[in-house]
Amino acid sequence: MRFVSINRRTVERGALAAASGLLAGYAALATAELTASLVRPQAGPVTVIGESAIDRTPPALKDFAIRTFGQNDKLVLQLGILATVGLLAALLGVLALRRRRTGAAGVLAFGALGAAAALSRPDTAGAGDVLPSLVGAVTGALVLYLLVGKVNGPAAQPSGADRTGNAAADSGADSGADTGRDGDRDFTGSSGGSAAWNRRGFLFAAGATALLSTGAGALGRALTGRRGRGAAASRAAVRLPSPASAAAPIPAGAGLRIPGISGFTTPNEDFYRVDTALVVPKVDADTWRLRIHGKGVSRPRSYSFAELLQRPLIERDITLTCVSNEVGGPYAGSARWLGVRLADLLREAGVRAPSRGGPADQLIARSVDAMTLGTPVEEVMDGRDAMLAVAMNGEPLPFEHGFPVRMVVPGLYGYVSACKWIRDIELTTFDAYDPYWVKRGWARRAPIKTQARIDTPKPFARTPAGTVMVAGVAWAQHRGIERVEVRVDDGAWQEASLAAQATTDTWRQWSFPWKPTPGGHHLTVRATDGTGEVQTERRTRTIPDGASGRHSVFVTAG
Ligand SMILES: Nc1nc2c(c(=O)[nH]1)N[C@H]1C(S)=C(S)[C@@H](COP(=O)(O)O)O[C@H]1N2
Ligand SMILES: [Mo]
């Protein structure tokens, strides 16, 4: 009985200490968030640790995360960080029960870790970025110290007195006293009156901590939201000029009306998003500038957003694709972009293509969040519609897609061309500099591979009796799609009918009416690009330069 009872008391004290740790962690994160809202929202500890983790994640794990969690990968990462912080905080709380100073010091150590992560971010704004982690850690350490002090009692009890307390509590429990009183004794191990006070003291302190922290967190969120308001206002004020060179009208037959097929144009809200930003950069277009400089730039230039809008703009339909897209995967989308022809700006700056004797063969685009992307200068200047886009499907770029300005280059995967929130273009060479993804094992040059995707029927679908419409999209940007063929099981390749091709830079819809025999069937698709090359059946992983192989689905016909 006594043994069991001591155990229960220990468990109770442990639980209260763990709760103190959790509250300390909560207070730390909330005050850190509030401080970050005043300093720089991107400098919050969860963000800097999360982004550091993203940068250090081995490509195979990143691939797995994208495959498993898709667009939710960032949410999963943040929840993982919060769960880890919670667990560590609870453990520190229990540790603090025995060693109060050590527990508090542990919280400070995590603050130092956050501060170091903040300073090592490539987009760090300097020493101020350590503040959120430090303020949070000091708050957390204080909260832990105070709360655990209340769990332990007003004055530290020598172990003998502690035993007495146990005995007192035991007798209370044994004599049928309610657990509340039992708990009261537990706090002090001495007189009941002061015990009651102290329990109330703990509850009061814990409640106040929870309340104040929630307030601080909410205030932080509100202030961060307000910070983005200047950017939102500048976006709302954008008047998009009409293009000097309008997009060719989309041919009437480019969009098939088949349920389940990807629309020819992807609405902005459905457009895939791939980037490393845990906090979407909110850039004020009124203060934004773009610098062009580097090797072979005889006239370095800088442009404001308004200056870009005053230039002749081109409008083009272009399909974007991510190198992380698996065969049959969702990371491709097509939009109508409006922007400034990038080659014109480069020529104004005195840049010549490598084939014309220019010394720079790589263009490094830098974003406000310090992402770097390397694009071949030759491709940008070879006459294709490489642009600095200011609008997507008739509206200013959504913040998620790079407001105010991003790059778009037909035919190249996003990671070597499509810099969002761009702020700087530097001309250099492939020998001299490796950008972000190349440092992590991805190829320096990455033209988009020819792919065809079956959008409908879905994998493992049961199709009703009768003719089944098999349909999807195929892309080989800047080469175009010449043919799409479908194979049922191990049969012969049969030609699908193609929707009209808008331009060689966009994907092309295809359809294939199929009269299946009842039972299970494998449907496989392959495309032939505008150069006559048939999509390879050789399967490769996404890293280093994009997945190859053919998309195939298994369906059961009714
Ligand atoms: N600043 C910045 N730009 C970026 C990235 C990024 O992580 N940061 N990701 C690139 C990648 S990998 C792709 S595929 C495209 C995706 O553009 P989207 O999110 O608008 O679809 O953006 C590119 N531009
Ligand atoms: Mo990508």
Side-chain angles (χ1 to χ4, degrees), residues 272-276 322 367 369 371 401 406 418 420-421:
Y272 82 92
R273 175 184 163 207
V274 171
D275 56 58
T276 58
C322 181
S367 66
D369 62 333
M371 170 55 68
H401 296 290
R406 77 174 302 168
K420 305 192 275 190
W421 316 292

Side-chain angles (χ1 to χ4, degrees), residues 424-487:
D424 187 286
I425 289 178
E426 180 179 355
L427 280 291
T428 179
T429 62
F430 279 102
D431 285 341
Y433 187 81
D434 282 339
Y436 183 93
W437 297 103
V438 175
K439 286 194 185 100
R440 286 159 177 80
W442 299 82
R444 290 200 171 85
R445 296 171 184 267
I448 295 173
K449 294 180 179 177
T450 303
Q451 276 292 326
R453 184 174 75 193
I454 301 172
D455 288 336
T456 180
K458 294 287 172 217
F460 307 111
R462 292 189 154 269
T463 62
T467 301
V468 174
M469 201 44 114
V470 184
V473 285
W475 59 80
Q477 288 91 321
H478 212 55
R479 300 185 298 279
I481 291 292
E482 192 175 274
R483 186 180 313 122
V484 170
E485 295 156 289
V486 174
R487 183 172 65 186

Side-chain angles (χ1 to χ4, degrees), residues 32 40 74 77 102 105 115 178 197 206 302 323 331 333 375 396 436 474:
R40 206 171 68 91
K74 290 190 181 113
L77 172 71
T102 312
D178 68 83
W197 179 89
S302 159
V323 71
Y331 300 131
T375 312
Y436 183 93

